[in-house]
Amino acid sequence: MPDIDQGIKRLIELLKIEKEEDLLQYKLKMSDTSIAERRKQGVCWFPLIIENTRFNAGERLVISVRRPDKYQEPHLFSSGKLVSFFSAEGENKESINGVVNNVSKDQMLITLNSDDEPYWMKKGQLGVQLLFDESSYREMNKALKKLIKTEEAHTLKLKNILLGNETPLFKESKPYQSQGLNDSQNTALNKVLNAETVSVIHGPPGTGKTTTLIESIVETLKSENQVLVCAPSNNAVDLLVEKLTEHQVNVLRIGHPARVTEEMLSLTLDAKIANHKDFKDYKAMRKKADEFFGMAKKYKRSFGYAEREQRKLLYDEAHQYKDAAEQLNFYITNDIISKAQVIAGTLVAANNYAVKGIKFKTVFIDEAAQALEPATWIPILKAERVIFAGDHHQLPPTIKSMEAAKGGLDVSLFEKAMRKNEAQTLLQVQYRMNEVIMGFSNNYFYDGQLKAHTSVANHTIFPEDDPLEFIDTAGTGFYESIDPETKSSFNEEEAGILQTHLTNYLNQLISIGGTKELSVGIIAPYSAQITRLKERIEAPEGFEGKLSINTIDGFQGQERDIIYISMVRSNEKGEIGFLANERRMNVAMTRAKKKLVVVGDSATLSQNKFYNAFIEYAQSNGLYKSAYEFMY
């Protein structure tokens, strides 16, 4: 397969370019800079206040830290990031690596790579900063090189189907009908059950992709003892794990415990080992080994034959206990792995040490359209067949290098699999949105093939309400600005219009008693605008805890009854920057269930084909309004 292998070699080159760009961006933020500069860059918190320390279910040290009010700069920390926890006290700087569990504006939970509390934690002058994580690049590179060299029949078959011209085949069998699925979902399920190599569940927003995937996994487990389930992000993996445990499936969650939610922690290998019936025996053996090592080390150099023999006996005893403990640990680990019906983790975690040599009949990959192709091959190399689920019209893979993206790294393996028409099934019934909210996305991305279920097709917040509004700021002079520190765009006046409309709308709902169980989301594509919206907007009485403000990525996989979107960009040149990524905006516009309000400048936005079509859609449905209506 010379052409296919040349393509894989090109992918290795693009991955190297991406890594170099990622590392360069990291170094620009970290190298030869003071703590104050790093803090301003958002890659360091210093100083820190320790809130508490504890050991989690997997016996890892977890610390909760807070930064003082005077140091509240925007930051780049997020769940799953590799960090260095350090002390800047004295000449000898001390540090230990860890992983971020979760983080807010001023608090962070970190799992440290330590069994004990570092002695220098008591000294003070503590901080935490981001580290560059090379492990994912290493695993992706390794997978691509293995893909070129492979002689395994199953892998060669998958390689030729996904990257070549071979057609995926399906077994003939009596159609299976699940009562909980609609017709297109059942079609997808049957393709999964009958696929010999590849099947693709194409799930547009609100069409029950996760429901269909979970049903497919549960049904597959009736004929296979164990399957591998992966996704690009820890959040996506945890969602699948949560749904599978609701079906009483025995799941083992692999990966670093810090990258797992508290709710899923009991399903990790560390926690299951700690709760295994033989773990007490293992700990007792380790303790005995440590005691004998300790006794042996007490003998000094100047001693006679008898003492030397005694020390040898003590060391022998220590090694025997240590070897027995290691054997028992090996047995415990394999006992847990062998009994798991589903092994779940991120794409990179599929090469976790615990499952390194295990082969699977089937691997399921969710949110596959968001995954880099090199990462997607990591779990596929462990399986005979692959089931993809996702939507290539939503969030694309995150790529730092423009050169790598233009070279083709931004094309996911999911997209390549979608070209095999025999393999893919489009889920066609949408259960989230009013059909007017769905309408634009349906026409623009899905050729009008989606249908809103009768339970949601006409639902609104109240009977006379418009489910969609576009509020046009054209002509107002509300131009965008650049935040000098973060270089992110914001639009103060547009934020004001959004605030006015939101306040009026929520007050109207309060006056008619319509706040019960309603949720509200405010989305902006730029972090600087998010900051300003958070400063401006507070949830009124009746909406406490029901209003959230976040970026598009922050709302991925979520939904709200009411969604507001601030488009931000407004300039005389008609430049819209990364708003031109229409897939990302498709995600934003399809989070709303009953009400979608988009605020933006038509003069700037309409220079782009996608936004021009959206504005025309709003106008043709009588859903267009001018910002002047909300200015006093």
Side-chain angles (χ1 to χ4, degrees):
M1 302 179 207
D3 291 340
I4 292 176
D5 286 346
Q6 279 302 116
I8 298 168
K9 286 175 182 174
R10 174 61 179 151
L11 211 51
I12 292 172
E13 292 171 12
L14 294 173
L15 190 63
K16 184 182 178 185
I17 293 167
E18 172 67 5
K19 179 188 172 183
E20 287 170 352
E21 178 61 28
D22 196 2
L23 183 58
L24 177 63
Q25 290 185 22
Y26 172 81
K27 285 180 176 177
L28 286 172
K29 292 185 178 79
M30 302 297 290
S31 297
D32 301 321
T33 55
S34 66
I35 284 179
E37 288 170 322
R38 275 176 262 160
R39 194 166 54 207
K40 189 178 283 190
Q41 290 277 359
V43 295
C44 178
W45 282 15
F46 182 90
L48 291 178
I49 300 159
I50 302 286
E51 299 270 83
N52 61 64
T53 63
R54 62 179 173 82
F55 287 90
N56 64 22
E59 300 205 327
R60 299 284 187 105
L61 180 62
V62 179
I63 61 168
S64 176
V65 300
R66 177 170 57 84
R67 57 177 177 168
D69 292 340
K70 65 184 288 188
Y71 300 116
Q72 296 289 314
E73 298 94 340
H75 66 80
L76 299 175
F77 292 91
S78 62
S79 175
K81 291 281 190 180
L82 192 66
V83 295
S84 171
F85 177 66
F86 65 88
S87 170
E89 178 73 17
E91 290 183 16
N92 298 319
K93 305 289 189 291
E94 304 281 1
S95 68
I96 187 169
N97 291 354
V99 177
V100 178
N101 290 56
N102 54 65
V103 62
S104 63
K105 184 179 179 182
D106 61 352
Q107 288 185 300
M108 196 184 309
L109 195 67
I110 307 166
T111 298
L112 298 179
N113 295 335
S114 174
D115 298 329
D116 301 299
E117 196 171 299
Y119 70 91
W120 45 263
M121 257 175 69
K122 300 284 191 294
K123 292 182 179 180
Q125 291 291 294
L126 301 173
V128 61
Q129 64 186 24
L130 285 172
L131 288 177
F132 184 74
D133 187 2
E134 286 198 40
S135 60
S136 58
Y137 286 105
R138 191 163 53 245
E139 292 296 343
M140 287 189 281
N141 195 53
K142 199 187 301 179
L144 292 176
K145 287 181 177 178
K146 187 176 179 182
L147 187 61
I148 291 172
K149 294 177 183 175
T150 188
E151 293 181 0
E152 290 188 27
H154 295 302
T155 306
L156 287 169
K157 189 88 173 167
L158 286 166
K159 181 177 171 180
N160 208 22
I161 288 170
L162 292 169
L163 303 178
N165 298 317
E166 198 168 322
T167 301
L169 299 176
F170 294 83
K171 294 177 289 187
E172 296 269 345
S173 69
K174 183 181 176 182
Y176 173 79
Q177 290 292 311
S178 171
Q179 296 301 310
L181 301 182
N182 63 41
D183 289 345
S184 62
Q185 290 171 333
N186 267 310
T187 300
L189 171 61
N190 278 278
K191 279 210 170 181
V192 169
L193 298 178
N194 294 319
E196 292 189 3
T197 49
V198 177
S199 184
V200 182
I201 302 171
H202 181 194
T207 55
K209 170 181 65 68
T210 302
T211 301
T212 309
L213 184 61
I214 294 297
E215 189 84 11
S216 299
I217 295 168
V218 171
E219 286 302 316
T220 300
L221 286 170
K222 291 178 180 177
S223 58
E224 298 175 27
N225 293 327
Q226 191 176 72
V227 299
L228 180 61
V229 174
C230 296
S233 71
N234 285 289
N235 287 341
V237 175
D238 286 335
L239 175 62
L240 293 174
V241 170
E242 182 185 334
K243 299 290 184 186
L244 286 166
T245 52
E246 288 172 5
H247 284 75
Q248 278 69 58
V249 174
N250 182 352
V251 182
L252 173 62
R253 175 68 162 93
I254 55 172
H256 196 292
R259 294 186 165 102
V260 179
T261 62
E262 285 287 326
E263 294 77 17
M264 297 296 112
L265 203 56
S266 64
L267 302 176
T268 62
L269 185 58
D270 281 10
K272 289 197 174 196
I273 288 173
N275 291 317
H276 194 274
K277 61 183 177 61
D278 294 324
F279 184 67
K280 284 184 180 177
D281 292 340
Y282 164 73
K283 284 201 82 172
M285 289 177 186
R286 283 297 306 266
K287 187 179 178 184
K288 279 284 186 186
D290 290 342
E291 285 173 359
F292 279 108
F293 275 124
M295 285 189 282
K297 286 174 183 175
K298 285 179 181 176
Y299 283 89
K300 307 300 178 188
R301 287 191 176 187
S302 55
F303 51 74
Y305 173 80
E307 288 87 351
R308 195 157 37 246
E309 283 298 301
Q310 183 62 26
R311 186 180 73 164
K312 182 179 180 301
L313 288 171
L314 289 169
Y315 269 125
D316 287 345
E317 198 75 21
H319 282 297
Q320 284 178 26
Y321 274 111
K322 183 172 177 285
D323 291 344
E326 286 175 354
Q327 286 176 27
L328 184 56
N329 185 52
F330 181 79
Y331 162 75
I332 292 170
T333 301
N334 282 282
D335 186 47
I336 291 165
I337 292 169
S338 66
K339 288 176 180 173
Q341 293 172 281
V342 168
I343 292 176
T346 60
L347 301 167
V348 174
N351 244 0
N352 183 279
Y353 73 95
V355 293
K356 219 168 184 67
I358 300 177
K359 293 287 185 179
F360 301 86
K361 167 84 174 178
T362 306
V363 57
F364 293 85
I365 302 178
D366 194 18
E367 304 296 358
Q370 293 181 41
L372 287 175
E373 181 181 336
T376 312
W377 280 108
I378 297 170
I380 293 176
L381 288 170
K382 302 172 77 71
E384 295 179 20
R385 63 186 203 126
V386 57
I387 311 301
F388 293 110
D391 180 16
H392 55 303
H393 297 306
Q394 294 188 63
L395 290 183
T398 300
I399 297 174
K400 301 249 176 42
S401 166
M402 292 271 290
E403 183 185 348
K406 286 178 181 175
L409 193 62
D410 61 345
V411 179
S412 67
L413 196 56
F414 177 91
E415 285 187 73
K416 293 179 180 180
M418 280 289 295
R419 295 167 190 164
K420 310 286 180 178
N421 291 327
E422 308 87 346
Q424 64 108 350
T425 305
L426 175 70
L427 304 183
Q428 293 177 298
V429 182
Q430 181 274 121
Y431 295 90
R432 176 186 298 159
M433 294 162 272
N434 180 294
E435 62 185 0
V436 175
I437 298 173
M438 178 195 77
F440 172 69
S441 178
N442 185 25
N443 294 334
Y444 194 88
F445 292 107
Y446 308 106
D447 300 321
Q449 295 181 76
L450 305 185
K451 298 282 183 280
H453 191 263
T454 52
S455 63
V456 302
N458 299 303
H459 68 181
T460 52
I461 301 296
F462 56 90
E464 304 80 25
D465 196 25
D466 287 329
L468 186 150
E469 294 179 42
F470 174 67
I471 300 171
D472 190 2
T473 64
T476 59
F478 293 169
Y479 292 129
E480 69 199 62
S481 301
I482 298 289
D483 187 299
E485 288 192 6
T486 64
K487 309 302 180 190
S488 177
S489 298
F490 69 94
N491 193 320
E492 199 74 63
E493 290 87 357
E494 184 178 290
I497 289 291
L498 188 151
Q499 181 186 19
T500 300
H501 187 286
L502 176 69
T503 302
N504 293 345
Y505 186 69
L506 295 187
N507 285 338
Q508 182 184 4
L509 296 184
I510 292 166
S511 70
I512 61 175
T515 65
K516 191 177 180 183
E517 300 304 319
L518 285 179
S519 56
V520 184
I522 303 172
I523 299 174
Y526 294 92
S527 60
Q529 187 75 341
I530 293 293
T531 301
R532 280 149 185 83
L533 288 166
K534 285 182 175 179
E535 289 169 352
R536 278 178 169 272
I537 296 170
E538 284 187 20
E541 189 175 341
F543 284 93
E544 299 94 335
K546 299 175 184 177
L547 189 152
S548 48
I549 304 172
N550 212 332
T551 59
I552 298 169
D553 291 39
F555 274 99
Q556 167 71 358
Q558 300 183 42
E559 60 187 29
R560 297 290 188 273
D561 295 296
I562 304 162
I563 286 284
Y564 278 73
I565 305 175
S566 172
M567 303 301 293
V568 180
R569 300 306 297 264
S570 176
N571 55 73
E572 293 177 341
K573 294 180 180 178
E575 294 176 350
I576 62 170
F578 74 83
L579 282 194
N581 188 328
E582 54 195 42
R583 292 163 60 172
R584 183 167 254 100
M585 194 50 60
N586 185 36
V587 173
M589 291 179 173
T590 54
R591 300 307 95 197
K593 293 162 69 176
K594 301 177 181 179
K595 178 82 170 180
L596 172 64
V597 180
V598 180
V599 186
D601 175 7
S602 65
T604 299
L605 296 174
S606 62
Q607 304 301 310
N608 175 274
K609 173 188 165 189
F610 170 79
Y611 295 106
N612 187 56
F614 171 72
I615 293 164
E616 287 181 356
Y617 176 80
Q619 288 173 329
S620 64
N621 285 279
L623 304 170
Y624 172 94
K625 293 181 180 177
S626 170
Y628 285 107
E629 297 176 39
F630 307 97
M631 293 168 62
Y632 299 116

